[in-house]
Amino acid sequence: MYLSTARLAPVARTDGPVRRLLSGNVLALGLVSLVTDVSAEMVTAILPAYLVLGLHLTTVQYGMIDGLHAGMTALFRLGGGYAADRWRLRKAVAGFGYGLSALAKLGLLAAGPSVAGIGGALAADRVGKGLRTPPRDALITMSVPEPMLGRAFGVHRTMDGVGAFLGPLAALGVLALAGSGQAFPAVFVASFCAAALGVLLLVLFVRDRREPAVRVEPRAWSPPWRLLATAEFRRVWLAAVLLGLVTIGDGFVYLLLQRREDLSIMWFPLLAVGTNLAYLLLATPLGWLADRIGRGTTVAAGCAALLGVYVLLATGGGSIPLILLLYGAFYAATDGVLMACTGPVVPERWRTSGMAVVQTGQALAYLVSSLAFGAAWQVWGPAAACWAAAAGAALALPLCGRWLR
Amino acid sequence: MRGRVVIAVVAAVVLAGVAVGFARLSGDARSAATLSAAPPASPSARSPLWSGVLARSTADGAEYGRLVIAGPRGREVLPLSCVRAYAAGGTGICLREQADAPGSYETVLFDRSLRQTWSSPFAGVPSRARVSASGRMVAWTVFVQGDSYAAAGAFSTRAGILDTRTGDVAGTLETFAVTLDGRPYEATDVNFWGVTFAADDNRFYATMSTRGREYLVEGDFAARRVRTLREGVECPSLSPDGTRLAYKKPRPDGTWRPAVLDLATMAETPLAETRGIDDQPAWLDDRTVMYGVARDTRHADVWAVPADGGGRPSLLVPDAESPAPLG
């Protein structure tokens, strides 16, 4: 599931032709994400079994493969965002990213037992994800009028979440059809088919905004981080970084739940399922709420939910469903809404880059926070580490609320 | 617009057809290998064969994945399919795919007549299995995904132990109290794998990893405690006389070589095997260590090598892996 790969999303407003709420474009992008997430989560669901049983790969080798491209995604995110803006190729860059991830599924099939081949295919998949996310979110912002951005992102994230939810089920379905838990090639082929459908849907139904020929400042090469020079954008970026810093990571949350309830490992994967369910159910209503009562307020409410999670984890209070509900609510109140906040503060000319800068900042902050939380757990013990995280969330609550007004 | 919708619908149908068709076809090719995990009909004839080496067959065809017994009377294929297996003292453990839920796995215990005596599903991918010499204690290791305290998407291990006499289960050793280098230790990233039992059916050895290092630990099941003994030992296996551990010694290039550790002196003896192995070794007898060597991703052979570091590896059971000595 989403474990940790901080899902970052960007925002924008429209100053171009105003489209009706939830324009076809948003639904089309949502559909593309849904189908693509089915594809991605199918592979995620069977990857451990494939690597361990199918290929006799060891954890050490897998760790090496995985470590190789953690940083690459961020780099490609910024690069893709810049290219999309520079040459007005948002749809093309997004399509390239989706296409690359689709081909990566065939790459897994073709790589066979080659560790380098598998590493390459997984790297291509991540590069594709890095490339497509900012232009996709930029396209969403350009599809609806500014006051409806929250709803647009909410709907998109709900559809995205439905895909993530269906993916593992689809993988099980393919395995059941094949009658074997080791029919890995069948899952890769099915995953490719879903991804290819996603690309096709993008090509057929997603429209890029054709702005009038831009009076480009011919040689004004403006690096994306130049955006940070404006105070408005900096505040949104700081809020994103702060959110990244106070998110300790799904893995830790689930581990704490599992330990305190002495949950059978049978049930462990269901924790992620529960969070995802809450996320996808709440993303749309909370996006709508954000348009009504203000995005900063909604993000602050998300921080409050996160604070609740940490306090319950620290004290051992609350039930598992309640904690998962709060945790999913936190994601639903912040993920899309944060992107809805980004759009309006970035000139349309650099919107994709702006999204990429915000997403990358949040992702890097998130990396730092999970390391810090791990260290705090080690030194102070889990309860104290949770209190520290709660203090962080309590601090982020008013700050995010203010910065994202 | 209508044209595009038609294209999309047609494409969706075609792609779904490809996906389903491919799954169907790959299913047919494999169904022979995964059928029948049912207990056998004629248990009585089994007992004389309960000697030799039990292993998992990697021979192509209907035998693939079945347990085999390679003994004085040749190779007998058992009707039991497992991903990992071990047996000792009349107790067998089989980590296998659940018949009605492909992709889900369960631990099954069986007796000398291959009757199922206990089973429990688990979430994860089977990795190791072991039984104490008396047949009373059983242990299993599985990979799980989702702990993600490390890199995103990385997966970790869970090792569990069951006392078949009392029914006492430790679902994961991560709940045990850890003493690292003599000091109490608590961390989130602790993983255990590759358990082996001492003769008293309480003490055990295993691998513990934390912060990127792998330790040999000695555990006390009743007291729910483990303590580290040294580094650089993975998947230990205690010799029948209880004096030495055979194990995989990690090497800088990410492969392992088998070695033997003398528990009295802590002296390490590399074995005369130069290939990389990734299997928990087992002792054929007090002088011989055996282990599976992969030929490719689907096939492996069981090799044996003297435990004193001399001699040369010799092929023990072709087309097999995951060996266990049967008295």
Side-chain angles (χ1 to χ4, degrees):
Chain A
M1 307 277 149
Y2 300 121
L3 295 184
S4 59
T5 21
R7 341 185 55 237
L8 317 159
V11 183
R13 87 186 151 182
T14 5
D15 32 27
V18 172
R19 295 232 167 81
R20 271 182 307 122
L21 164 65
L22 305 188
S23 70
N25 227 21
V26 172
L27 290 179
L29 285 161
L31 205 56
V32 171
S33 289
L34 191 158
V35 173
T36 304
D37 256 32
V38 169
S39 160
E41 295 299 330
M42 280 177 89
V43 171
T44 306
I46 62 145
L47 203 58
Y50 178 62
L51 296 178
V52 177
L53 292 182
L55 303 183
H56 290 234
L57 218 61
T58 65
T59 39
V60 178
Q61 286 171 313
Y62 182 74
M64 289 194 307
I65 288 179
D66 205 67
L68 278 180
H69 11 83
M72 268 168 45
T73 312
L75 204 64
F76 278 90
R77 214 189 275 265
L78 291 174
Y82 178 75
D85 283 338
R86 179 78 183 74
W87 292 289
R88 308 273 149 142
L89 292 173
R90 286 168 291 252
K91 181 175 166 182
V93 171
F96 183 75
Y98 280 109
L100 194 60
S101 290
L103 289 178
K105 310 303 190 295
L106 289 186
L108 279 175
L109 195 63
S114 154
V115 174
I118 292 166
L122 292 177
D125 186 54
R126 309 254 167 110
V127 169
K129 190 170 171 57
L131 284 178
R132 76 192 180 224
T133 311
R136 178 200 68 200
D137 285 339
L139 286 170
I140 294 176
T141 65
M142 297 174 180
S143 306
V144 296
E146 200 262 320
M148 297 178 170
L149 281 178
R151 263 164 280 190
F153 274 103
V155 167
H156 175 267
R157 294 307 193 255
T158 291
M159 295 177 81
D160 197 59
V162 169
F165 204 77
L166 294 179
L169 299 178
L172 284 181
V174 170
L175 294 178
L177 257 176
S180 160
Q182 299 200 42
F184 303 116
V187 177
F188 292 146
V189 168
S191 169
F192 168 75
C193 289
L197 182 64
V199 176
L200 189 75
L201 292 175
L202 178 89
V203 170
L204 288 176
F205 298 111
V206 173
R207 273 156 307 169
D208 205 343
R209 208 30 192 291
R210 278 154 286 215
E211 296 100 350
V214 212
R215 349 108 269 204
V216 187
E217 329 75 279
R219 284 173 296 124
W221 190 87
S222 172
W225 47 89
R226 188 73 69 71
L227 291 164
L228 288 168
T230 66
E232 277 184 304
F233 181 78
R234 205 162 47 228
R235 277 198 292 273
V236 172
W237 184 80
L238 281 173
V241 168
L242 194 56
L243 280 176
L245 282 177
V246 299
T247 315
I248 60 171
D250 302 2
F252 281 119
V253 171
Y254 301 153
L255 203 59
L256 284 160
L257 284 179
Q258 194 248 332
R259 292 207 165 179
R260 88 171 194 189
E261 308 276 331
D262 200 14
L263 216 56
S264 146
I265 59 171
M266 269 306 284
W267 297 101
F268 192 70
L270 289 183
L271 297 177
V273 172
T275 306
N276 276 342
L277 196 59
Y279 171 74
L280 76 88
L281 289 176
L282 292 174
T284 297
L286 286 178
W288 176 81
L289 197 68
D291 290 339
R292 292 289 299 261
I293 66 168
R295 289 172 195 143
T297 313
T298 308
V299 171
C303 288
L306 188 65
L307 177 63
V309 170
Y310 294 155
V311 169
L312 292 178
L313 287 176
T315 58
S319 62
I320 286 187
L322 174 68
I323 292 175
L324 295 183
L325 178 71
L326 285 173
Y327 199 45
F330 159 70
Y331 279 122
T334 54
D335 182 34
V337 178
L338 186 63
M339 290 303 108
C341 296
T342 308
V345 299
V346 187
E348 186 159 332
R349 177 79 180 82
W350 293 109
R351 189 147 295 169
T352 321
S353 304
M355 308 244 144
V357 170
V358 168
Q359 293 173 355
T360 305
Q362 191 182 9
L364 294 181
Y366 170 82
L367 214 63
V368 171
S369 75
S370 18
L371 288 176
F373 187 81
W377 179 322
Q378 211 127 301
V379 178
W380 302 330
C386 285
W387 282 119
L395 189 69
L397 195 154
L399 287 178
C400 284
R402 247 209 358 243
W403 288 338
L404 296 175
R405 252 174 320 168
Chain B
M1 185 65 180
R2 176 170 301 170
R4 283 179 287 158
V5 170
V6 170
I7 295 175
V9 169
V10 170
V13 169
V14 169
L15 288 168
V18 170
V20 169
F22 196 91
R24 275 273 160 80
L25 284 177
S26 58
D28 290 343
R30 285 193 176 252
S31 53
T34 40
L35 86 179
S36 154
S42 58
S44 55
R46 243 16 110 183
S47 303
L49 278 166
W50 198 246
S51 70
V53 172
L54 177 80
R56 173 181 189 262
S57 173
T58 66
D60 283 323
E63 192 185 314
Y64 192 87
R66 298 283 182 89
L67 295 192
V68 292
I69 295 179
R73 290 162 61 177
R75 180 177 176 118
E76 192 199 350
V77 182
L78 306 182
L80 198 59
S81 287
C82 308
V83 176
R84 295 283 188 274
Y86 197 83
T91 303
I93 179 171
C94 169
L95 308 185
R96 72 176 185 194
E97 203 168 309
Q98 286 183 287
D100 51 352
S104 307
Y105 296 89
E106 60 181 350
T107 302
V108 177
L109 300 187
F110 56 93
D111 61 15
R112 273 179 213 277
S113 51
L114 303 186
R115 261 197 320 259
Q116 180 176 319
T117 55
W118 184 86
S119 78
S120 173
F122 57 83
V125 180
S127 168
R128 306 281 177 228
R130 199 70 19 153
V131 180
S132 72
S134 71
R136 173 175 166 180
M137 309 295 288
V138 297
W140 57 88
T141 306
V142 302
F143 283 107
V144 289
Q145 190 183 37
D147 279 356
S148 69
Y149 36 68
F155 47 95
S156 55
T157 58
R158 295 273 165 80
I161 294 178
L162 165 73
D163 182 337
T164 60
R165 189 170 306 164
T166 64
D168 192 9
V169 184
T172 165
L173 298 185
E174 285 165 42
T175 56
F176 282 29
V178 178
T179 306
L180 189 137
D181 295 336
R183 284 199 303 269
Y185 181 77
E186 187 171 352
T188 52
D189 69 344
V190 170
N191 282 306
F192 290 92
W193 65 89
V195 175
T196 185
F197 294 100
D200 66 1
D201 281 337
N202 181 49
R203 255 180 343 111
F204 64 90
Y205 298 91
T207 322
M208 180 186 91
S209 87
T210 180
R211 283 187 278 181
R213 295 176 160 197
E214 277 89 42
Y215 299 88
L216 170 68
V217 294
E218 184 187 47
D220 183 321
F221 180 71
R224 297 289 200 268
R225 274 201 309 255
V226 299
R227 64 187 182 103
T228 59
L229 295 183
R230 65 180 276 154
E231 276 191 63
V233 173
E234 281 189 51
C235 292
S237 177
L238 193 63
S239 61
D241 63 14
T243 62
R244 289 153 297 158
L245 290 174
Y247 59 97
K248 310 189 312 187
K249 184 175 170 54
R251 298 165 53 85
D253 64 356
T255 64
W256 294 266
R257 295 288 159 72
V260 166
L261 183 73
D262 187 309
L263 285 167
T265 64
M266 283 290 170
E268 184 178 87
T269 309
L271 301 187
E273 170 64 78
T274 55
R275 292 168 294 186
I277 63 155
D278 180 19
D279 191 11
Q280 183 168 13
W283 293 75
L284 184 60
D285 53 46
D286 271 322
R287 295 186 316 280
T288 316
V289 174
M290 59 183 174
Y291 44 86
V293 178
R295 285 204 306 274
D296 55 47
T297 58
R298 207 171 140 76
H299 304 96
D301 304 303
V302 173
W303 291 71
V305 70
D308 61 5
R312 275 207 325 235
S314 57
L315 184 62
L316 189 66
V317 187
D319 280 317
E321 62 184 3
S322 205
L326 297 177

